[in-house]
Amino acid sequence: METADAVVIGGGVIGASIAYRLAENNRKVMLIEKGEIGAKTSGSCDKAIFLQSKKPGFPTQLAKASREIYENLEDELETSIEFKRGGGMIVIEKEGHMDFMKKFVKKQNNAGINVELLDRKESLERQPCLSPNIAGSTYSTEDAEVNPLLLSQAFTEGARKRGVDIRTHTEVIAIHSEHGRITGVQTDKVLIATELVINAAGPFASKIAEMAGVSLTIMPRRGVILISEKVKPLIHGNILCSQYIAAKYLTGSNEDDVPPYGIGLSLGQTNSGNLLIGGSREFKGFKKALEPEVLTAVAAHASRIAPSLNTIRIIRSMVGFRPFTGDGLPFIDETPEMKGFIIAAGHEGDGIALAPITGHLVTSLIENKMRYKDLLKPLKLDRLQVV
């Protein structure tokens, strides 16, 4: 048997951020990951830190707080995470969408996000790769980008320097408790005695919660991103389209409004020149094998908005599973009837944007710090039930 003050389950960007922050006060922290660090959801996503795509209100407040942390994160972690303040754009394909997007911009401005509405000419000046047939776009200087793989590795290395015990290729098979309180974690290698477990397992968080006797509704939402050959700089910042917003938020409403396969454009470019072309949103469980028509539909939608893509080769695709909660907010709280069991999962497509603030939130929750106390209130887990 081994011991730890806290065990973080999940070695993606959320778990790594939490482990890094928890170790600040000399806690004995273990980070448990079934595979490699950042190899699942965090390694199968784009690089966007979008603020303007968040729903006005608390989601926007949370994203702004996280974006503020990003400003100094490379200096803090003492390594490059390829953080860029490149701005972001949401393309408006049709004139019929313009009235809706005008209201969208007004709401975002009222929520404190600096977003402006651009006409067709202004949009093409910023992004010449776009189709001359678009109606216009929104643009925000507050949107940014980061390399998610480097981010996961940087948080993990920072945690290691602070003494966190990183256990990869280690599977959690049981969580022990007595009288409604966590007592330990059983892995396939060792039993760890601990009174504090943080479930940061992303789309697998429901399975981990079940081990602790907690019912947690987080569904895997499959998404695909196409990866191109290396090309000269083509994209300035990151691009979404208005259909992407619909695909993200309309699930559960009128199915006629939801795009087929949940397709909406997300477009960015890595430092090495590869284009990341997304994407789709489907509920297929953990089925990773894609139907060919999904890939075709993603490519067709992207090339319609950005015809410059037609001459660029796609070299591979990557599939990931976003942890979906249904209301656009993650779970971040201690379960009420299981003391010492904290959920920090359900970020869906916002995990990269919200990773820095999540580490602070979980630490604040444990230490009852005042700085983030007000932010935590809307995340109370009234949706959880102990079974």
Side-chain angles (χ1 to χ4, degrees), residues 257-312:
D257 296 329
V258 181
Y261 312 115
I263 286 174
L265 177 68
S266 64
L267 184 59
Q269 191 164 15
T270 67
N271 278 14
S272 59
N274 303 96
L275 294 170
L276 305 179
I277 307 166
S280 60
R281 294 175 186 269
E282 300 179 276
F283 294 106
K284 295 287 187 178
F286 286 103
K287 179 185 176 185
K288 200 162 187 178
L290 284 169
E291 297 78 9
E293 55 265 29
V294 177
L295 296 172
T296 301
V298 170
H301 178 71
S303 60
R304 186 176 72 241
I305 296 175
S308 302
L309 300 177
N310 280 319
T311 59
I312 296 172

Side-chain angles (χ1 to χ4, degrees), residues 42-311:
S42 298
S44 304
C45 59
D46 60 32
K47 55 197 302 243
I49 305 170
F50 256 95
L51 266 66
Q52 64 169 307
S53 64
K54 306 298 181 283
K55 287 183 178 180
F58 182 69
T60 297
Q61 182 186 5
L62 197 64
K64 282 179 69 69
S66 200
R67 173 65 177 81
E68 183 179 342
I69 297 169
Y70 265 118
E71 280 297 314
N72 301 305
L73 194 56
E74 284 187 318
D75 289 339
E76 179 182 350
L77 295 174
E78 300 180 328
T79 188
S80 172
I81 53 175
E82 296 181 2
F83 174 69
K84 295 180 182 178
R85 305 166 187 86
M89 175 181 287
I90 300 178
V91 177
I92 306 167
E93 273 198 89
K94 303 176 183 177
E95 290 290 346
H97 295 171
M98 191 60 75
D99 286 343
F100 169 80
M101 293 306 292
K102 287 179 180 178
K103 295 176 183 177
F104 170 86
V105 169
K106 184 176 181 180
K107 287 180 180 179
Q108 297 305 84
N109 286 332
N110 290 339
I113 304 294
N114 178 23
V115 186
E116 57 182 316
L117 190 66
L118 306 182
D119 60 23
R120 179 185 294 111
K121 180 181 177 182
E122 292 169 321
S123 301
L124 293 174
E125 286 174 351
R126 286 194 177 274
Q127 300 284 4
C129 69
L130 296 176
S131 167
N133 298 320
I134 65 169
S137 71
T138 67
Y139 178 76
S140 175
T141 57
E142 295 188 55
D143 297 328
E145 56 189 316
V146 70
N147 185 318
L149 293 176
L150 291 183
L151 181 64
S152 297
Q153 292 164 5
F155 271 132
T156 303
E157 186 56 31
R160 196 189 308 276
K161 289 178 180 178
R162 289 179 170 179
V164 174
D165 187 351
I166 313 293
R167 305 284 180 96
T168 57
H169 301 283
T170 301
E171 184 176 2
V172 174
I173 58 176
I175 295 176
H176 300 300
S177 63
E178 290 182 7
H179 310 297
R181 182 177 293 275
I182 292 294
T183 60
V185 173
Q186 177 69 59
T187 75
D188 56 354
K189 296 179 174 66
V190 68
L191 173 63
I192 306 164
T194 185
E195 294 182 353
L196 183 61
V197 171
I198 297 91
N199 178 1
F204 306 97
S206 293
K207 180 180 178 181
I208 297 297
E210 186 179 346
M211 295 180 189
V214 174
S215 176
L216 177 65
T217 304
I218 291 180
M219 299 172 60
R221 202 178 191 188
R222 188 178 72 180
V224 63
I225 293 176
L226 308 180
I227 302 174
S228 81
E229 62 183 329
K230 296 178 182 180
V231 297
K232 294 180 180 180
L234 181 70
I235 307 301
H236 309 290
N238 287 280
I239 300 174
L240 301 180
C241 73
S242 50
Q243 185 169 299
Y244 178 98
I245 306 300
K248 182 175 182 178
Y249 292 118
L250 288 178
T251 298
S253 59
N254 186 346
E255 290 300 318
D256 292 337
D257 296 329
V258 181
Y261 312 115
I263 286 174
L265 177 68
S266 64
L267 184 59
Q269 191 164 15
T270 67
N271 278 14
S272 59
N274 303 96
L275 294 170
L276 305 179
I277 307 166
S280 60
R281 294 175 186 269
E282 300 179 276
F283 294 106
K284 295 287 187 178
F286 286 103
K287 179 185 176 185
K288 200 162 187 178
L290 284 169
E291 297 78 9
E293 55 265 29
V294 177
L295 296 172
T296 301
V298 170
H301 178 71
S303 60
R304 186 176 72 241
I305 296 175
S308 302
L309 300 177
N310 280 319
T311 59

Side-chain angles (χ1 to χ4, degrees), residues 1-19:
M1 180 186 293
E2 299 186 39
T3 62
D5 295 326
V7 174
V8 181
I9 302 173
V13 68
I14 298 297
S17 172
I18 293 167

